[in-house]
Amino acid sequence: MSTPKSHFGPSPDFLSNHRSANPASRTILVTGATAGIGLAITRHLLSLSAQHLLILTGRKKDVLEDFAGKNPDRVITSPGDMSDLGYVKSILAGIDLDGRLDGLILNHGTFGSSLRIKDISAEDWESTFRINVSSCVELIKDALPLLRPAKGRVVFTSSGAASNAYASWGAYGASKAAINHLTMTLRTEEPEVTTVSIRPGVVDTAMQVDIREKFLKNMDEKDQKKFSTAKKDGILLPPEKPGRVIAELAVRAEKDLSGQFLR
């Protein structure tokens, strides 16, 4: 378990001074920030003139260290594995945010073992839900007291699999459907917070590599054909496309979008 540094910048008063000097700056936590869509989200947010402040999580310590080294005042990192709920509870602990978190981007996730229902174990199913759902609930619980006064935003990276069934994707798809329901629940329970989930499309990430190289054998033939040639056929989106949309929603999603599953 890793404990992030306790404040942005070189001293505790940096945060209030930065916000005063940069009124468009938002403080945003991004999970799964070290690869794929999460990496694209992070790069986009850091590139903006608003000078956003970021708390970044992920399993690739070298990527997090690079972000922190290049943006020492604007980035706090917390490397770890979201399957460890003790780690999840530690992410916001001890960080001085002066009572405000403007955005929470829940981008981390796992495809799981990609087995058909007849073959998957309850332990595999629960492991997928722990990473894709339970860790989100734990982090949201810690973030809500900071999000409410900021009238902040929660953005989930969901999936088309939440509403389309593929053979052997049961645990993954069900976990993403749960995320979409969690989005609607937060709209009802937390009216001051805007919550949306995003279907990013078929994106050129490590998950697609795993589908092509590891999991095709468990899928139906028609889906094998689709996913085996998706990259060659040029139908995969670059991570930067959904990454930019998700980043911008975390900054300025309108209240009337709350509770929605957006394509």
Side-chain angles (χ1 to χ4, degrees), residues 26-203:
R26 299 292 179 262
T27 306
I28 300 171
L29 194 164
V30 184
T31 69
T34 60
I37 295 173
L39 186 63
I41 291 168
T42 301
R43 287 173 172 165
H44 181 73
L45 288 170
L46 288 172
S47 74
L48 299 175
S49 61
Q51 298 290 299
H52 298 308
L53 304 174
L54 304 184
I55 303 165
L56 304 177
T57 81
R59 290 180 295 174
K60 297 181 179 179
K61 292 183 180 180
D62 57 331
V63 177
L64 293 177
E65 289 170 356
D66 185 61
F67 277 129
K70 292 176 178 176
N71 307 273
D73 292 340
R74 295 173 52 203
V75 168
I76 290 175
T77 65
S78 179
D81 190 327
M82 299 299 280
S83 67
D84 179 354
L85 298 184
Y87 158 71
V88 174
K89 293 175 184 178
S90 78
I91 292 171
L92 283 170
I95 304 178
D96 179 12
L97 295 174
D98 199 20
R100 178 182 127 196
L101 181 68
D102 299 290
L104 174 60
I105 300 176
L106 295 160
N107 171 73
H108 68 281
T110 180
F111 195 57
S113 57
S114 187
L115 294 171
R116 292 174 180 247
I117 301 296
K118 67 182 181 65
D119 298 317
I120 197 169
S121 68
E123 289 76 17
D124 281 350
W125 191 276
E126 290 176 351
S127 175
T128 300
F129 266 71
R130 184 169 62 252
I131 295 170
N132 291 357
V133 183
S134 299
S135 66
C136 292
V137 174
E138 285 291 354
L139 193 48
I140 290 166
K141 285 170 58 180
D142 289 341
L144 280 173
L146 301 166
L147 289 164
R148 291 186 193 115
K151 297 187 184 302
R153 297 167 177 87
V154 178
V155 184
F156 293 98
T157 301
S158 185
S159 170
S163 53
N164 294 289
Y166 295 95
S168 77
W169 289 28
Y172 175 74
S175 71
K176 293 301 184 178
I179 287 301
N180 292 350
H181 196 281
L182 182 55
T183 299
M184 295 187 290
T185 302
L186 284 167
R187 175 197 61 194
T188 301
E189 294 182 355
E190 300 291 338
E192 295 301 309
V193 178
T194 298
T195 305
V196 297
S197 60
I198 304 297
R199 174 182 179 172
V202 186
V203 186

